[in-house]
Amino acid sequence: MSQPVAAAGATSAGSAPAPRATARRGTELFLLIGAAVIVTAALVLVEINQEATLTRQILYYGAAFLGLFGLAHVAVRRWAPHADPLILPLVALINGLGLVVIHRVDLGNAEEAAGSGATFTADNPKQVLWTLVSIILFCLVLGLVKDHRTLAKYAYTCGLTGLVALALPAVLPSMLAPEINGAKIWLRLGPLSIQPGEFAKILLMVFFAAYLVAKRDLFTTAGRRFLGVDFPRPRDLAPLLVAWALSIGIVVLERDLGTSLLFFGILLVMLYIATERAVWVFIGLTLFGVGCAIAYPMFGHVQQRVDGWLNPLESESAYQLQQALFGMATGGIGGTGLGGGRPAIVPFAQSDFVIASFAEELGFVGLAALLMMYLLLMMRGLRSALAVRDSFGKLLGGGLSFAIALQLFVVVGGVTGLIPLTGLTAPFMAYGGSSLLANYMLVALLLRISDAARRPQTPSTPKPKQAPIAEAHTELVERPR
């Protein structure tokens, strides 16, 4: 009788009660309300500086912002209650600032159209509709994907679907897949245009993550050693290389070099996370340099972009970059103020050059604050990837987070003259439906991984203790007479 008492006493004294895990959904709601206040105040400033009066559009945009992200908050509270409380507010604020800049550019384009007598159609109402569709897709992904590990079961299906989605614009006729601005990456479905490469990016990341987890040991131990590096066996490396080469080849043939750079960088980082060997980064960068040297004489628009990058103030092909640089220089440290600049004179100021439009009116300080928000979003994603307990979640979360960071680096580097322009757009901020839809799917998967990482572990049911055979009682069996 003494043993159960002693055991109970040891349990109460040796193990402290587990700390109560807080979901912090109230913090998320508070931050979302703060984001709505900032976005509404920014819209008011734009209207006052442009028209000196307030229009009903502010009420429409403010109510739409609150309604959409209120719906997203309810979905997170319902299906991912332990997810990181900062990810959704950061996305909401970046998306809201994008709506502010697009509205600002619309006002400038409307003024120019009124002066020339041309017809004008605003982009911001369409972007609000795309945000609505994106939030609905976000809720669907969050509700349907209950456990991110189930995606690993469909890794090859995701990889094949991603490759098919990438190849569709190249194989379909121009009536369904027209060439726009030198790139053949769009599908036209009636009045809508979709860029399937944005969705293929996520599908291929699922495939890369699942494959690298399954073959991780073979990547480090089972191959041949060459120049001090252990290479995996060709049969283990072949599916990964084939998928990567096909994806890169397709986007290069479609002249979407920015997306090819994004795919290459994502695979390189996921390979580094899986193997923890920096030599893969070195090999990848070497291959990237060789690929650039081969692509330069083959593609005329690559030569134009490199020439515009090297001679931004002299090259005729660098008109967009010239206008963007002059605009950002006009903004200076503090900016011209919301509604006080002239970002609309830059071609594609609401899509490819939305970062330059933002920097012109909010200056270096505003741009630095925006980059800090993106950096914080990436860090919270990486933190969730580090905290989750399964290898597939770690690799997928790391790839999703790095995709945001790399895409932002390519965009900001292009509009500031650090690297050549690529045609990629700023995540969550630039005008365009495909990018917005795909990035909200990406955030839904990040929140799902974050929920798994922060969810308190339920203690497993203790199994009944089996008596060791050495301690089993001996029974005396009498021989039958």
Side-chain angles (χ1 to χ4, degrees), residues 229-403:
V229 181
D230 292 323
F231 286 90
R233 294 178 300 186
R235 64 181 181 183
D236 298 322
L237 192 60
L240 195 67
L241 282 181
V242 168
W244 170 76
L246 285 176
S247 61
I248 295 293
I250 290 169
V251 292
V252 167
L253 291 176
E254 294 171 353
R255 298 184 177 183
D256 187 12
L257 299 182
T259 304
S260 67
L261 173 62
L262 189 62
F263 283 147
F264 183 80
I266 290 172
L267 175 61
L268 204 60
V269 168
M270 294 179 74
L271 195 57
Y272 173 71
I273 296 174
T275 61
E276 298 181 356
R277 294 189 171 187
V279 68
W280 288 109
V281 179
F282 174 76
I283 294 174
L285 292 177
T286 305
L287 291 175
F288 176 72
V290 173
C292 290
I294 296 174
Y296 181 76
M298 293 176 60
F299 300 100
H301 69 289
V302 174
Q303 298 174 19
Q304 291 178 358
R305 291 187 172 183
V306 172
D307 181 58
W309 170 56
L310 294 175
N311 307 292
L313 302 181
E314 301 172 1
S315 175
E316 295 180 356
S317 61
Y319 175 74
Q320 284 178 290
L321 184 58
Q322 292 168 9
Q323 297 298 318
L325 292 175
F326 283 132
M328 288 187 285
T330 303
I333 299 296
T336 59
L338 282 170
R342 298 182 62 194
I345 64 174
V346 182
F348 301 104
Q350 73 280 23
S351 54
D352 293 12
F353 283 82
V354 70
I355 292 289
S357 304
F358 185 86
E360 179 180 346
E361 299 210 328
L362 291 175
F364 174 78
V365 175
L367 180 60
L370 179 67
L371 296 183
M372 287 298 294
M373 284 190 280
Y374 274 112
L375 182 63
L376 193 56
L377 176 61
M378 183 200 68
M379 288 179 62
R380 301 302 289 198
L382 286 177
R383 180 179 176 180
S384 300
L386 286 172
V388 78
R389 300 171 185 88
D390 62 287
S391 300
F392 174 74
K394 289 181 185 298
L395 264 181
L396 182 60
L400 294 172
S401 304
F402 180 76

Side-chain angles (χ1 to χ4, degrees), residues 23-209:
R24 303 188 69 180
R25 298 274 66 86
T27 304
E28 181 184 85
L29 180 60
F30 176 76
L31 293 175
L32 283 174
I33 294 173
V37 171
I38 293 173
V39 171
T40 306
L43 286 170
V44 170
L45 288 175
V46 168
E47 294 261 334
I48 290 176
N49 285 332
Q50 275 289 300
E51 301 180 355
T53 57
L54 298 179
T55 64
R56 293 182 179 179
Q57 284 183 319
I58 291 181
L59 295 177
Y60 165 68
Y61 291 138
F65 187 89
L66 281 175
L68 291 177
F69 287 99
L71 176 64
H73 171 72
V74 171
V76 174
R77 188 180 283 271
R78 173 69 177 82
W79 289 306
H82 298 283
D84 192 302
L86 285 183
I87 291 179
L88 183 61
L90 284 169
V91 169
L93 184 54
I94 295 171
N95 194 355
L97 292 175
L99 292 174
V100 171
V101 176
I102 295 170
H103 180 57
R104 166 67 188 89
V105 175
D106 278 346
L107 293 178
N109 288 333
E111 182 180 358
E112 184 179 353
S116 61
T119 57
F120 169 73
T121 303
D123 288 328
N124 212 26
K126 290 185 284 186
Q127 186 71 356
V128 173
L129 288 179
W130 278 121
T131 306
L132 168 64
V133 178
S134 301
I135 293 291
I136 293 174
L137 187 60
F138 168 86
C139 297
L140 287 176
V141 172
L142 212 54
L144 293 176
V145 182
K146 302 292 186 185
D147 188 342
H148 63 275
R149 292 173 294 184
T150 56
L151 295 175
K153 298 178 183 177
Y154 308 101
Y156 282 89
T157 304
C158 290
L160 182 61
T161 308
L163 290 176
V164 171
L166 273 179
L168 276 178
V171 299
L172 290 178
S174 299
M175 183 178 64
L176 297 175
E179 182 175 324
I180 300 175
N181 298 325
K184 200 169 185 295
I185 56 177
W186 296 89
L187 290 181
R188 179 165 291 172
L189 305 173
L192 300 178
S193 294
I194 296 176
Q195 191 175 348
E198 292 284 349
F199 305 95
K201 173 180 66 179
I202 300 175
L203 294 171
L204 288 173
M205 274 193 280
V206 172
F207 167 72
F208 290 152

